[in-house]
Amino acid sequence: MSSDTNAAPAAANKMNENSALAPEPAAASKAALDVALEENQVSAPNSDNNDESQTRTVFQDPVHFNVKHPLYNEWTMWFDNPSHKGSWSAKERRETWGANLHKVVNIKSVEEFWGLYNNIVPPSTLPQSANYYLFKDGIQPAWEDPANGNGGKWSIQLPREKHRNQIDKLWLYTMLSAIGEMLEAPSSDSKLPQSREDELVTGVVLQARSNYYRVSIWTRYADEWDSPNSQEKEVTESLATGRRLLALGRFFKTEVLGYPLDAKIGGGFSSEVEFQSHKDSEKKRGKRGLV
């Protein structure tokens, strides 16, 4: 499998000073193809027809492509059905959460991802309380899953009306960064983990609410971090993981969402890009910022 991330572009072109998104997700699309594919597994079907014998990727022909590019990891899309939630109490929502969760499809290739993306409701038109979850295969989008139990999430909250025209691309960039493994190796000197236990990211989440959208990256661990410029002689395993978390958060803010690292974006229904362990989230405490 390829672990070369040096040539991969960022998942999103940076916003300009007015926070306008890049018009097309071409760079993000190419990144998912460049980074997340297994080498030497691209082959066109055998055919006596000259046209059919030519290799056509989904980027060359989105309808009649004849080759698939396997992803580094398999992923599963889930959807939380919001039916009747509006009349339920908070306790009832918690107790019936699993019953509303629907597994949509498994994704093994770049082509399968685009087939899914082009045929589901975009986030901008989701009803209140609906959620999308894209998680690595075998991991459920729940705190109770062993892969998430000791983890946390990087997240940002954005006002619904102000970002209705941007949220679709922000969610697309987040998903592409996930399946393209750029979240696992956000810097030029990063290497992809060699085992599932070493992988930091478990999934990404989009939540639609009446007044805001929230985009999150869920992680397997929630270790503390110090300054990345610290001169400590001994870097413990926990501290090393914490620094990976910090690098992930910075990549999320600057390369996926497109904000300058020092930009202040909180206020009203907006939040800063913040990290919170699932255990602290359950107790509604303990958020950590980037700077």
Side-chain angles (χ1 to χ4, degrees):
M1 296 181 182
S2 173
S3 60
D4 180 11
T5 61
N6 294 334
N13 293 321
K14 291 187 177 181
M15 297 179 182
N16 60 24
E17 293 180 356
N18 296 322
S19 297
L21 284 170
E24 297 295 337
S29 305
K30 188 64 165 55
L33 181 61
D34 284 346
V35 181
L37 309 182
E38 293 185 3
E39 294 178 345
N40 304 319
Q41 293 196 24
V42 176
S43 59
N46 293 326
S47 174
D48 294 330
N49 185 297
N50 290 333
D51 291 336
E52 287 298 322
S53 66
Q54 295 179 355
T55 299
R56 295 188 300 275
T57 71
V58 70
F59 298 103
Q60 297 167 326
D61 189 335
V63 177
H64 300 104
F65 60 87
N66 59 9
V67 61
K68 286 188 177 182
H69 299 84
L71 296 171
Y72 190 87
N73 277 296
E74 294 181 18
W75 296 77
T76 301
M77 175 66 83
W78 304 77
F79 175 66
D80 186 9
N81 189 339
S83 298
H84 308 300
K85 278 187 178 180
S87 60
W88 291 354
S89 67
K91 181 180 179 181
E92 288 173 326
R93 291 192 188 99
R94 288 194 300 269
E95 292 176 347
T96 60
W97 176 84
N100 292 311
L101 187 64
H102 299 276
K103 184 176 180 178
V104 180
V105 68
N106 287 339
I107 302 168
K108 300 179 181 180
S109 69
V110 172
E111 288 74 14
E112 289 173 348
F113 169 80
W114 285 112
L116 167 71
Y117 181 78
N118 291 329
N119 289 281
I120 60 174
V121 175
S124 59
T125 60
L126 283 177
Q128 177 182 341
S129 299
N131 307 293
Y132 278 139
Y133 310 87
L134 182 65
F135 274 68
K136 289 176 179 174
D137 188 46
I139 302 176
Q140 289 203 356
W143 297 346
E144 294 80 7
D145 190 288
N148 297 319
N150 294 318
K153 63 180 182 292
W154 281 106
S155 62
I156 186 172
Q157 185 171 294
L158 300 166
R160 187 176 181 115
E161 290 305 317
K162 184 177 180 181
H163 290 83
R164 187 184 296 272
N165 294 330
Q166 300 177 348
I167 192 61
D168 294 346
K169 289 182 179 179
L170 287 177
W171 175 234
L172 173 62
Y173 295 157
T174 303
M175 290 191 294
L176 287 171
S177 294
I179 69 171
E181 304 300 334
M182 287 180 288
L183 301 179
E184 292 288 354
S187 63
S188 59
D189 58 350
S190 301
K191 294 183 179 180
L192 290 178
Q194 298 303 306
S195 69
R196 176 59 68 91
E197 289 71 25
D198 291 332
E199 291 179 346
L200 193 58
V201 175
T202 58
V204 293
V205 180
L206 182 285
Q207 297 171 288
R209 298 295 181 264
S210 59
N211 294 314
Y212 62 85
Y213 298 104
R214 182 183 293 126
V215 181
S216 304
I217 300 172
W218 281 33
T219 63
R220 184 181 296 270
Y221 305 106
D223 300 60
E224 295 286 343
W225 61 76
D226 67 347
S227 168
N229 298 319
S230 172
Q231 299 300 313
E232 286 191 29
K233 294 181 179 180
E234 181 180 357
V235 178
T236 64
E237 182 177 349
S238 177
L239 181 56
T241 301
R243 290 180 178 179
R244 287 177 63 197
L245 282 170
L246 181 59
L248 169 60
R250 290 179 168 179
F251 183 87
F252 181 40
K253 181 174 183 177
T254 60
E255 303 300 331
V256 179
L257 300 175
Y259 291 103
L261 182 60
D262 59 354
K264 302 299 181 183
I265 52 181
F269 289 110
S270 296
S271 75
E272 301 293 339
V273 176
E274 297 173 319
F275 184 84
Q276 187 176 38
S277 73
H278 295 317
K279 293 177 181 178
D280 284 341
S281 180
E282 189 174 15
K283 298 176 182 178
K284 301 186 183 302
R285 67 181 188 187
K287 293 183 179 180
R288 285 179 267 164
L290 282 170
V291 293

